[in-house]
């Protein structure tokens, strides 16, 4: 009788221990599964955060470059404005040999190149050699357009100022033009085209897409 009871007790203990082991294994596997899911979710959140931070960094760099280019455009406009003020007599010269001699070069972007200006007068280089007012104007215009070339696609135009059908004989509208958008930022990915970009109304017509213009009016 005692032998039968002992066997039953051993069997009961065995079943109880088996249940405990099974419960432990299930609990352990569940915890491991939960930990793995938590790790994956954490990795996903970190990845999204890194992507967002990278995008912000790229945008900040782009805006910084845009601000630098616009600051340079202002400096270029001020440069030629000071030249015009210093040589204001050339603005009123009657019967000038060319427009540039009076600080005029009303060219649109495609035509506003150094080649569109008269040749360098070559004065003021040798000892005792001086430039006349109109020669200085041509040289200033050439130096200005060469300096603007430091901007991406940089070019410059100077126009007369017209209002109400009349033209101010001495006022000049300075236009600094540059390409603010790269080709791959304009148009479609398959066919990037800078001419598909919005046109800046401040630019001299005919306008070119993707070209930004800064204007300044100077009255010497």
């Amino acid at each position: 009788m005692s032998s039968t009871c002992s066997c039953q007790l051993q069997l009961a203990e065995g079943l109880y221990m088996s249940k405990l082991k099974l419960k432990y294994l299930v609990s352990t596997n569940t915890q491991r599964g939960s930990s793995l899911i938590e790790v994956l979710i954490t990795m996903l959140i970190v990845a999204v955060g890194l992507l967002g931070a990278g995008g912000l960094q790229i945008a900040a760099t782009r805006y910084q470059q845009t601000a630098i280019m616009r600051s340079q455009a202002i400096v270029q406009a001020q440069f030629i404005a000071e030249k015009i003020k210093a040589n204001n007599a050339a603005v009123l010269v009657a019967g000038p040999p060319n427009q540039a001699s009076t600080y005029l070069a009303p060219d649109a972007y495609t035509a506003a190149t150094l080649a569109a200006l008269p040749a360098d007068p070559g004065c003021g280089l040798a000892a005792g050699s001086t430039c006349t007012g109109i020669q200085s104007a041509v040289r200033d215009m050439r130096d200005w357009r060469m300096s603007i070339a430091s901007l991406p696609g940089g070019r410059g135009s100077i126009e007369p100022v017209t209002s109400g059908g009349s033209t101010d004989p001495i006022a000049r509208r300075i236009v600094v033009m540059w390409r603010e958008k790269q080709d791959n930022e304009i148009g479609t990915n398959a066919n990037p085209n800078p001419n598909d970009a919005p046109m800046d109304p401040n630019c001299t017509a005919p306008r070119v897409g993707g070209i930004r213009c800064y204007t300044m009016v100077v009255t010497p």
Side-chain angles (χ1 to χ4, degrees):
M1 181 71 178
S2 60
S3 176
T4 303
C5 291
S6 177
C7 290
Q8 290 177 346
L9 287 173
Q10 290 178 356
L11 180 61
E13 289 177 357
L15 290 173
Y16 178 72
M17 293 301 296
S18 297
K19 287 182 179 180
L20 287 178
K21 288 182 180 180
L22 181 60
K23 185 177 181 181
Y24 173 77
L25 290 174
V26 172
S27 176
T28 302
N29 290 335
T30 302
Q31 290 177 356
R32 289 178 180 175
S34 300
S35 299
L36 181 59
I37 293 173
E38 290 172 357
V39 170
L40 291 174
I41 292 174
T42 303
M43 291 176 63
L44 177 61
I45 293 172
V46 171
V48 172
L50 290 175
L51 287 174
L56 288 174
Q57 182 65 33
I58 293 172
T61 301
R62 182 179 300 171
Y63 292 142
Q64 183 180 19
Q65 292 175 342
T66 299
I68 290 173
M69 286 188 289
R70 293 184 181 185
S71 297
Q72 291 177 349
I74 293 172
V75 171
Q76 293 292 346
Q78 291 173 338
F79 168 80
I80 195 63
E82 293 301 321
K83 292 290 186 180
I84 295 172
K85 291 178 181 179
N87 189 24
N88 55 10
V91 174
L92 294 174
V93 170
N98 49 68
Q99 285 186 314
S101 299
T102 59
Y103 292 102
L104 281 175
D107 301 317
Y109 180 80
T110 54
T113 63
L114 186 64
L117 295 175
D120 191 323
C123 58
L125 301 177
S129 174
T130 58
C131 295
T132 64
I134 58 177
Q135 288 174 329
S136 294
V138 172
R139 171 161 291 177
D140 290 343
M141 295 286 287
R142 292 182 62 86
D143 290 345
W144 180 56
R145 280 195 173 173
M146 285 190 290
S147 180
I148 292 177
S150 62
L151 286 166
R155 298 184 181 184
S157 174
I158 301 182
E159 310 165 348
V161 176
T162 302
S163 178
S166 60
T167 300
D168 191 320
I170 61 174
R172 297 290 184 266
R173 180 175 180 263
I174 302 167
V175 185
V176 178
M177 302 171 279
W178 72 97
R179 185 171 295 284
E180 191 170 85
K181 296 288 187 181
Q182 299 300 319
D183 290 359
N184 59 0
E185 296 180 283
I186 303 168
T188 63
N189 292 330
N191 184 28
N193 183 5
N195 293 318
D196 289 342
M199 297 183 183
D200 190 338
N202 291 321
C203 296
T204 304
R207 301 175 180 88
V208 176
I211 299 300
R212 179 71 66 180
C213 294
Y214 173 79
T215 64
M216 173 188 292
V217 175
V218 58
T219 303

